[in-house]
Amino acid sequence: DAGITQSPRYKITETGRQVTLMCHQTWSHSYMFWYRQDLGHGLRLIYYSAAADITDKGEVPDGYVVSRSKTENFPLTLESATRSQTSVYFCASRTGEGYGYTFGSGTRLTVV
Amino acid sequence: GQQVMQIPQYQHVQEGEDFTTYCNSSTTLSNIQWYKQRPGGHPVFLIQLVKSGEVKKQKRLTFQFGEAKKNSSLHITATQTTDVGTYFCAGRRNTGFGQGTTLQVKP
């Protein structure tokens, strides 16, 4: 799974600050996704992208912004971090419909 | 909300016992995928089922897709401590993971 990399692995930030989580994949997969994982909520989709310059909202998009200017990168920005955004964030990619997701190792974000 | 529901949410078993988790959808699925997430790790793709009534096996794991393609199950025979983790199903295109079933195995 070395082909999808998330950074940083851990991040502590203050309420109100902007923070960007990075995701990079080396396979040229069309689809990329951002999920957050919280106890009791499983994996909830924040945003996804079907191709460069095409993004769409998922289940919980409020407070987040994404961009995808290049196929391999899909950064997630928290415009003004809140404590409720403390979570583990996973980036994932897949080559297309009907194929399995490959997940990154995750970013554990704490907002204080 | 999520379109696939998983039960149970948690399961504790004694090592050697069997374990089953179920995934149910309100709509017909084109396919269903299963993932395993070890504690502290990330979800890892296990398998995909596509055909109605399909059954696939991976060693002690048996995956089934219902005839109506609205439900699926993962059965583990004779659990081992290495089976510990959370098992997720994913069905709806580009979004829908179940909440997962967390399995704990007592040695």
Side-chain angles (χ1 to χ4, degrees), chain B:
Chain B
Q2 292 179 348
Q3 209 172 24
V4 288
M5 300 296 293
Q6 264 186 272
I7 54 171
Q9 192 171 357
Y10 299 98
Q11 185 84 58
H12 297 241
V13 299
Q14 197 72 37
E15 188 172 22
E17 292 182 339
D18 292 355
F19 159 77
T20 305
T21 174
Y22 300 90
C23 185
N24 299 301
S25 171
S26 57
T27 59
T28 302
L29 302 169
S30 56
N31 61 65
I32 192 143
Q33 300 172 351
W34 285 93
Y35 295 78
K36 177 183 179 181
Q37 183 179 23
R38 295 182 186 275
H42 58 276
V44 174
F45 175 72
L46 294 176
I47 208 162
Q48 175 172 275
L49 305 173
V50 178
K51 298 177 184 177
S52 170
E54 189 171 12
V55 178
K56 287 188 176 180
K57 292 189 176 184
Q58 289 180 350
K59 297 183 180 179
R60 294 178 294 103
L61 277 61
T62 302
F63 303 84
Q64 291 188 316
F65 203 7
E67 293 291 339
K69 299 182 74 172
K70 287 187 175 182
N71 54 70
S72 181
S73 65
L74 158 59
H75 179 82
I76 302 178
T77 303
T79 55
Q80 299 176 359
T81 55
T82 54
D83 296 323
V84 164
T86 301
Y87 294 85
F88 293 96
C89 61
R92 187 165 178 256
R93 60 184 290 244
N94 291 336
T95 57
F97 278 83
Q99 287 192 333
T101 296
T102 298
L103 172 65
Q104 295 194 0
V105 180
K106 301 174 196 175

